[in-house]
Amino acid sequence: NDLFCGFTRRPVPGHVVYSSHLFFDPRDLDLTSIPPRWEERRPLIVFHGSLYKLASEPFLDCLFGLMAELGDVEFAFMGKDWDDALRRVHESACRWGVSERVHYEGVFSTLRDSEGRITDPGWHRLVELLRSARLAPNPWPIGGGSARFEAYVLGAPTVHMGVRTDAASWGQPQPALLEVPNLLVPEGTTHSVDGYRALCVRCLGDGSFANKLAQRQRQRALDTCVPSEYWQMILRVFDTWVHASGGGTWSGRRGQAVER
């Protein structure tokens, strides 16, 4: 449970790490219906989330450079503008000569009404786009969490720039900064720009590969939205913390602290 620094190659004293995972809200997504296969989709790339994540110059150069070579591919994106990100996305698209195929579809809201439903038209537009897309790339250096989960559920193959933790990577620069371990699918993960580009090309052009990847990612999504497993994890972490601090343990059966 120690915090370890790969740059100094030493533990960081005074910090205890408790292993945990994220819980993803399936919102109004149907977890039982089968998403469209690659053959039923069109050459469409979709991004959704905070636009400052999309407006990363290395990521846009990779994405729009790919589109410049694949003339039939469209790109649609949705999300709130942050720090003039929308302008930077459009300027990058113009530099690569793909602006006519880059479409901003506005914002979306996932807030629920009094009956617990999401009624925002922007959200339903996003769901429609993800069900039509052959690729939903995860940007870097800051990627998404909920956005990846939603793409997984809706069957849009996702390419992810992973973070290495092996000894050879310690102290070395990496394209990505953050990792969400319980969303990792090795077949859709790479650690280099060239590898990222190659995976994107396969998702857009290789139906067999894309269908298998989408199937594995969807199963990963279903595994990450089980409420009981999340709360059991919370109880285990709490019990470990209480025990380490010399207190009692937590009884999940009765919801009471048990003194040692």
Side-chain angles (χ1 to χ4, degrees), residues 5-28:
C5 175
F7 184 76
T8 63
R9 298 173 180 260
R10 292 180 297 184
V12 179
H15 295 275
V16 179
V17 177
Y18 297 94
S19 178
S20 62
H21 61 262
L22 297 175
F23 173 78
F24 292 97
D25 180 6
R27 308 193 192 279
D28 280 9

Side-chain angles (χ1 to χ4, degrees), residues 140-159:
W140 78 82
I142 301 177
S146 295
R148 283 170 70 190
F149 170 83
E150 290 151 5
Y152 284 9
V153 171
L154 293 167
T158 301
V159 175

Side-chain angles (χ1 to χ4, degrees), residues 187-200:
E187 295 87 345
T189 302
T190 184
H191 301 94
S192 70
V193 176
D194 288 342
Y196 192 97
R197 179 187 176 92
L199 281 176
C200 287

Side-chain angles (χ1 to χ4, degrees), residues 33-249:
S33 65
I34 299 177
R37 292 173 57 81
W38 183 91
E39 294 80 4
E40 303 170 76
R41 297 170 177 266
R42 56 193 177 95
L44 172 67
I45 303 173
V46 171
F47 168 88
H48 71 289
S50 298
L51 296 190
Y52 77 88
K53 297 180 181 180
L54 173 62
S56 160
E57 186 173 350
F59 175 69
L60 289 178
D61 285 343
C62 178
L63 180 65
F64 292 155
L66 179 66
M67 289 182 61
E69 294 185 9
L70 303 176
D72 63 336
V73 175
E74 301 278 328
F75 177 57
F77 63 106
M78 298 187 70
K80 294 181 180 179
D81 191 11
W82 290 83
D83 194 24
D84 210 21
L86 183 59
R87 178 188 59 80
R88 286 182 282 145
V89 172
H90 281 306
E91 287 182 352
S92 179
C94 289
R95 285 197 305 271
W96 283 99
V98 297
S99 58
E100 293 183 355
R101 291 183 280 131
V102 173
H103 315 288
Y104 178 54
E105 300 282 344
V107 299
F108 62 93
S109 172
T110 56
L111 295 179
R112 302 182 188 276
D113 63 14
S114 59
E115 297 181 0
R117 298 173 301 183
I118 300 176
T119 59
D120 176 58
W123 166 255
H124 296 293
R125 173 59 177 159
L126 172 60
V127 170
E128 176 187 345
L129 289 170
L130 288 173
R131 287 180 59 85
S132 302
R134 287 183 176 172
L135 177 63
N138 190 37
W140 78 82
I142 301 177
S146 295
R148 283 170 70 190
F149 170 83
E150 290 151 5
Y152 284 9
V153 171
L154 293 167
T158 301
V159 175
H160 168 64
M161 184 72 79
V163 176
R164 293 174 53 188
T165 58
D166 58 291
S169 70
W170 296 349
Q172 302 298 317
Q174 297 192 54
L177 299 175
L178 306 173
E179 191 62 271
V180 183
N182 64 333
L183 288 181
L184 276 176
V185 177
E187 295 87 345
T189 302
T190 184
H191 301 94
S192 70
V193 176
D194 288 342
Y196 192 97
R197 179 187 176 92
L199 281 176
C200 287
V201 171
R202 292 196 70 184
C203 287
L204 291 168
D206 185 343
S208 177
F209 172 79
N211 284 330
K212 291 177 182 178
L213 176 59
Q215 184 178 22
R216 290 188 176 97
Q217 290 177 335
R218 178 175 166 81
Q219 185 57 55
R220 172 55 57 188
L222 298 179
D223 293 340
T224 62
C225 63
V226 180
S228 59
E229 292 188 8
Y230 175 78
W231 287 110
Q232 287 299 322
M233 178 271 296
I234 292 292
L235 294 176
R236 288 193 300 270
V237 171
F238 180 75
D239 184 56
T240 302
W241 174 77
V242 171
H243 177 64
S245 62
T249 60

